[in-house]
Amino acid sequence: MWGRGFASTARAAVEGRKWDAVVIGAGHNGLTAAAYLARGGMSVAVLERRHVIGGAAVTEEIVPGFRFSRCSYLLCLLRPSIIRLSLTFHTFWIFNRTCPSLFVGELELKRHGLKLLRPMAAAFTPCSDGRYLLLSFDEDENRREISKFSRRDADAYMRYENQLDKFSSIMNFLLDSHPPEFQHEVPSFSDRMRSRVQKSVFWARCLRQILSMGQKNVMDFVDLLLSPTTKQMVSIDSVRSGYVLLHHVMGEFDGDRNVWAHVQGGMGSVSLAISNAAKEAGVHILTNTEVDKTISPPGKHVVSLFTQYTPYKPSNGRWEDLTYREQYVQRCFSLIDEYAPGFSSSVVGFDLLTPPDLEREMGLTGSSIS
Ligand SMILES: Cc1cc2nc3c(=O)[nH]c(=O)nc-3n(C[C@H](O)[C@H](O)[C@H](O)COP(=O)(O)OP(=O)(O)OC[C@H]3O[C@@H](n4cnc5c(N)ncnc54)[C@H](O)[C@@H]3O)c2cc1C
């Protein structure tokens, strides 16, 4: 079990000491920021409300005896540069003061225990008539699979994937670029010059990326960012708008775009690896955990019901009503049984996170995960 009593220990550690930075929330973003700040030479404390670190990237024992990813379950968006070891040039600006530029390594998450596993398939869609669509990460296989249903769709899908490839390169560029520095104090002449050079380099690179896409692609890119999407297999990644779709395709695993990795030990292992890197850099967090390899015995399942797309306030009942929740779970299981007969009898335990649960437990306003 991770860090039970974390809050009181952290409070004791924080009291009576002046910190350069206090990070509120030990989600993976907070932990990452803390690790980088500490590597930049700052004293850093992370305060987490829950008894476990990780936020929505968490492995928990909700079903007794089984530890599994409770919310986020696949890793793709964590930038490769954070996972890798490399030497980069960083300037930190925080709490009205600019830290000297430093050479610091990235977080080296593999050395800190992160083990990513390549998934066998990208998506599996069973049909009630026994047919199925199995998408992998191989272009030819995907063309064959989609052609089982429609040759036209297979061709269109290849064009669609190629276009997303182009779009994700500009998103990746933006994600990996340092945001412009924000300065309250009157900057010195050398700070002003450095800031101008950094901004010029950023905009020049940005312009080069955009020009390399060509005018039509740029227009299509903007269109995609703002348009709703409707096709079932594709739309699951783009609920709300095309921008959400880009979020789902711009990640990568071992250099392959849009491959979402499983994480050995569940998503909590990502947070654990980051917290290890942070602690090594001197960040104050309490963790005390060992990550256990399988989730459930062969042939059995523990189920995490991630119900983001159900109404916050259902019209036919209330999420607080235990009977209503139980009936909802049974309906979900029956649906899965139609495609995977016997599934429900293999379930040894489950966790249900409805929209109000996500808001209450994880602090996600309105249960929005993006
Ligand atoms: C059900 C679900 C499934 C998802 N699936 C995926 C997926 O498969 N892949 C993926 O990449 N992303 C997925 N996501 C999204 C991803 O998990 C989040 O984007 C990510 O975890 C956000 O990280 P964060 O560190 O910014 O915030 P969070 O993970 O929300 O962490 C914030 C932390 O701050 C703490 N906190 C809040 N307020 C306070 C306070 N006042 N004082 C102290 N602590 C506080 C919270 O307890 C929490 O630990 C999913 C999200 C959910 C909810």
Side-chain angles (χ1 to χ4, degrees):
M1 185 63 70
W2 286 354
R4 283 217 179 266
F6 171 78
S8 57
T9 314
R11 201 177 302 123
V14 165
E15 272 173 10
R17 182 168 168 189
K18 196 174 172 199
W19 300 89
D20 292 323
V22 175
V23 177
I24 300 171
H28 81 279
N29 279 322
L31 290 170
T32 303
Y36 275 96
L37 289 170
R39 284 179 166 228
M42 294 193 166
S43 60
V44 186
V46 181
L47 304 182
E48 167 53 46
R49 184 182 59 180
R50 299 194 72 214
H51 62 285
V52 285
I53 62 163
V58 68
T59 302
E60 278 190 88
E61 185 180 338
I62 298 300
V63 178
F66 301 103
R67 293 168 54 78
F68 57 97
S69 301
R70 193 170 182 206
C71 293
S72 177
Y73 53 97
L74 288 170
L75 183 133
C76 184
L77 295 173
L78 190 63
R79 301 305 300 145
S81 55
I82 293 176
I83 298 175
R84 274 196 303 262
L85 163 70
S86 66
L87 287 183
T88 43
F89 190 61
H90 288 270
T91 306
F92 292 107
W93 192 89
I94 190 164
F95 292 171
N96 287 339
R97 99 175 211 227
T98 307
C99 288
S101 299
L102 296 161
F103 280 101
V104 293
E106 302 290 351
L107 298 190
E108 300 179 70
L109 297 188
K110 290 188 180 165
R111 179 167 70 79
H112 287 292
L114 179 65
K115 186 162 180 198
L116 301 182
L117 310 170
R118 185 176 279 268
M120 286 185 289
F124 176 66
T125 310
C127 305
S128 50
D129 62 6
R131 294 185 304 160
Y132 62 85
L133 176 68
L134 178 66
L135 292 184
S136 67
F137 304 102
D138 182 274
E139 202 175 296
D140 294 334
E141 276 177 26
N142 285 346
R143 184 187 286 277
R144 274 196 298 277
E145 273 294 303
I146 301 173
S147 294
K148 291 191 316 198
F149 297 85
S150 156
R151 281 237 169 107
R152 196 161 151 255
D153 278 3
D155 289 341
Y157 187 76
M158 296 306 132
R159 287 199 303 278
Y160 163 80
E161 281 283 295
N162 286 336
Q163 198 167 32
L164 284 186
D165 237 352
K166 289 187 194 125
F167 294 168
S168 61
S169 68
I170 183 147
M171 293 303 288
N172 288 342
F173 163 75
L174 290 173
L175 284 178
D176 290 334
S177 301
H178 290 192
E181 287 195 28
F182 180 61
Q183 295 177 327
H184 288 301
E185 290 168 349
V186 180
S188 66
F189 176 75
S190 61
D191 281 345
R192 272 210 313 272
M193 290 310 291
R194 193 176 55 206
S195 167
R196 277 190 190 171
V197 170
Q198 281 173 348
K199 282 180 187 147
S200 305
V201 170
F202 171 79
W203 287 115
R205 289 180 61 200
C206 201
L207 199 63
R208 201 172 57 214
Q209 284 278 341
I210 290 170
L211 289 178
S212 71
M213 282 171 70
Q215 190 180 359
K216 176 158 187 337
N217 278 325
V218 172
M219 299 304 288
D220 290 345
F221 176 63
V222 174
D223 203 28
L224 177 76
L225 283 182
L226 305 175
S227 305
T229 46
T230 47
K231 273 207 146 191
Q232 169 60 20
M233 250 320 294
V234 173
S235 64
I236 197 158
D237 279 345
S238 52
V239 173
R240 287 188 204 101
S241 76
Y243 173 71
V244 179
L245 172 70
L246 278 178
H247 250 285
H248 282 91
V249 300
M250 64 199 176
E252 62 182 76
F253 170 65
D254 265 358
D256 292 338
R257 182 188 65 75
N258 196 16
V259 178
W260 289 60
H262 294 285
V263 181
Q264 185 165 304
M267 286 296 275
S269 306
V270 179
S271 306
L272 181 63
I274 300 173
S275 77
N276 286 341
K279 283 195 292 185
E280 185 180 80
V283 174
H284 256 70
I285 329 165
L286 278 190
T287 53
N288 180 20
T289 186
E290 197 178 317
V291 176
D292 55 318
K293 280 185 181 171
T294 57
I295 295 177
S296 57
K300 300 287 178 191
H301 294 91
V302 281
V303 181
S304 170
L305 288 165
F306 164 20
T307 64
Q308 184 199 358
Y309 306 118
T310 52
Y312 188 95
K313 288 184 184 169
S315 57
N316 58 351
R318 294 171 60 247
W319 289 122
E320 296 75 21
D321 178 350
L322 289 181
T323 312
Y324 182 78
R325 290 173 79 93
E326 182 63 31
Q327 285 168 349
Y328 176 81
V329 170
Q330 288 316 324
R331 278 205 306 277
C332 290
F333 286 176
S334 315
L335 190 66
I336 299 173
D337 273 339
E338 283 179 29
Y339 296 91
F343 169 78
S344 54
S345 57
S346 70
V347 174
V348 293
F350 67 87
D351 178 40
L352 170 66
L353 285 174
T354 66
D357 298 328
L358 285 171
E359 186 172 77
R360 191 186 54 253
E361 295 242 357
M362 305 295 163
L364 300 177
T365 308
S367 82
S368 171
I369 73 163
S370 25

